[in-house]
C-alpha cells in the first residue's frame, strides 16, 4: 500500500502541474484545451495550487517512507507489534501532525482550484479541474479517516489491557482500510482527469 499511496499524490500533482504549464505559456489566446477566455489566468491560479500539492509530496514521503527512510506507517506497525505504548503514542502524535499539515495544504489547493473554476474557462478545462478537485476532496476525506484512526490509538492504546488493546487495534485497522478505499476513489477521479487531458491533446494534434 505504501507505493500505491505515494503514487497517488504524485499522479495528482503531475497532472495539474502539466496543465498549468501548458496554459501558462499560451497567453490569453488559444490554449491546450482550445479557445479560451480566462484559461491562461486560471492556469496561474492552478500553478499556485501546485505549490500546495508539492508540499504534500514531502508529507506523504514522511508518512509512507521510501527506499532511503522508514515512514511513520512502518514505525507505527513495529511499535504495535512490540506492544510499545510510548512509541505508539509518539508516532501517532507525529502522524496526526503530518495529517493536519497535509489537510491544510490540500484544502488550500482545493480553494485555488475552485477559484480557477469560477473564471471564464472552456468546458474541457472546467471538467478537468472539476475532476481534480473531486480527487483532492476525496484525499482530504481519507486524511480525516486516517487521523481518526491515529487519534484513537494515541488516546486508547494500552498493551496491558488485552481486550482494550485488541479492540483499539481493530478500530485502527478498520479506519485505515477506509482510508485506503477512499484514496482509491481519489485516484479514480484523478485518472479520469488525466484521460481527459490526453484526449484533448489527441484532438488538438489531429487538427494541426
Amino acid at each position: 500500500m505504501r507505493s500505491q499511496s505515494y503514487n497517488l499524490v504524485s499522479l495528482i500533482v503531475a497532472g495539474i502541474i502539466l496543465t498549468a504549464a501548458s496554459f501558462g505559456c499560451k497567453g490569453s489566446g488559444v490554449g491546450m484545451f482550445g479557445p479560451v477566455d480566462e484559461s491562461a489566468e486560471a492556469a496561474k491560479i492552478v500553478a499556485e495550487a501546485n505549490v500546495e500539492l508539492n508540499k504534500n509530496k514531502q508529507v506523504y514521503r514522511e508518512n509512507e517512507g521510501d527506499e532511503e527512510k522508514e515512514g511513520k506507517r512502518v514505525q507505527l506497525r513495529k511499535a504495535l507489534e512490540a506492544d510499545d505504548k510510548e512509541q505508539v503514542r509518539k508516532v501517532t502524535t507525529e502522524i496526526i501532525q503530518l495529517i493536519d499539515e497535509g489537510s491544510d495544504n490540500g484544502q488550500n489547493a482545493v480553494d485555488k482550484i475552485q477559484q480557477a473554476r469560477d473564471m471564464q474557462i472552456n468546458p474541457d478545462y472546467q471538467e478537468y479541474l472539476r475532476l481534480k478537485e473531486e480527487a483532492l476532496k476525496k484525499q482530504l476525506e481519507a486524511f480525516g479517516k486516517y487521523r481518526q484512526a491515529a487519534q484513537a490509538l494515541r488516546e486508547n492504546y494500552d498493551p496491558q489491557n488485552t481486550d482494550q488493546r485488541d479492540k483499539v487495534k481493530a478500530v485502527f485497522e478498520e479506519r485505515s482500510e477506509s482510508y485506503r478505499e477512499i484514496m482509491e476513489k481519489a485516484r479514480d477521479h484523478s485518472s479520469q482527469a488525466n484521460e481527459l487531458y490526453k484526449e484533448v491533446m489527441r484532438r488538438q494534434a489531429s487538427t494541426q
Side-chain angles (χ1 to χ4, degrees):
M1 284 298 176
R2 176 171 67 84
S3 59
Q4 289 183 352
S5 298
Y6 186 74
N7 287 339
L8 171 66
V9 80
S10 299
L11 184 65
I12 294 173
V13 172
I16 294 181
I17 287 176
L18 177 60
T19 305
S22 299
F23 274 85
C25 67
K26 293 291 183 179
S28 58
V30 177
M32 180 61 71
F33 286 92
V36 299
D37 293 311
E38 296 180 299
S39 292
E41 291 78 7
K44 295 177 183 178
I45 298 174
V46 172
E48 295 174 4
N50 290 333
V51 174
E52 302 299 329
L53 293 173
N54 273 315
K55 293 177 184 176
N56 270 4
K57 290 176 70 176
Q58 181 59 35
V59 171
Y60 263 75
R61 188 174 291 110
E62 289 289 329
N63 186 62
E64 304 296 336
D66 54 29
E67 290 76 11
E68 298 178 357
K69 184 179 178 181
E70 189 175 74
K72 300 300 178 186
R73 185 186 291 274
V74 174
Q75 293 175 22
L76 180 57
R77 188 186 72 238
K78 289 181 176 179
L80 289 170
E81 290 173 351
D83 284 335
D84 188 336
K85 181 178 180 179
E86 292 306 313
Q87 183 67 2
V88 167
R89 183 172 182 81
K90 175 180 179 295
V91 176
T92 51
T93 297
E94 293 169 347
I95 287 174
I96 289 170
Q97 292 171 346
L98 286 173
I99 293 171
D100 289 345
E101 180 181 348
S103 295
D104 288 344
N105 296 337
Q107 186 58 56
N108 288 339
V110 168
D111 292 344
K112 292 292 184 183
I113 293 174
Q114 289 176 339
Q115 184 181 349
R117 290 187 61 208
D118 286 340
M119 302 176 73
Q120 296 297 318
I121 59 179
N122 70 73
D124 284 327
Y125 195 28
Q126 177 70 247
E127 177 62 7
Y128 176 87
L129 292 180
R130 184 190 71 80
L131 289 167
K132 288 297 182 180
E133 180 183 334
E134 288 301 315
L136 288 169
K137 285 181 176 178
K138 283 295 180 184
Q139 186 184 74
L140 291 175
E141 182 183 349
F143 282 175
K145 294 293 185 181
Y146 193 36
R147 191 186 195 284
Q148 291 175 2
Q151 189 168 358
L153 270 181
R154 185 180 67 175
E155 295 177 356
N156 301 308
Y157 183 74
D158 182 4
Q160 302 302 318
N161 186 327
T162 304
D163 290 340
Q164 181 177 336
R165 179 199 63 190
D166 292 345
K167 181 179 179 180
V168 170
K169 289 175 71 172
V171 170
F172 175 77
E173 289 300 326
E174 178 182 344
R175 290 177 177 171
S176 294
E177 181 60 28
S178 179
Y179 159 80
R180 289 187 285 267
E181 290 174 355
I182 296 171
M183 289 297 280
E184 289 294 333
K185 294 178 182 178
R187 178 159 50 189
D188 289 343
H189 285 298
S190 187
S191 296
Q192 290 175 43
N194 291 340
E195 287 303 313
L196 172 61
Y197 180 77
K198 292 175 184 177
E199 172 59 28
V200 171
M201 288 183 68
R202 286 192 291 266
R203 253 189 278 150
Q204 187 174 59
S206 68
T207 61
Q208 292 178 350

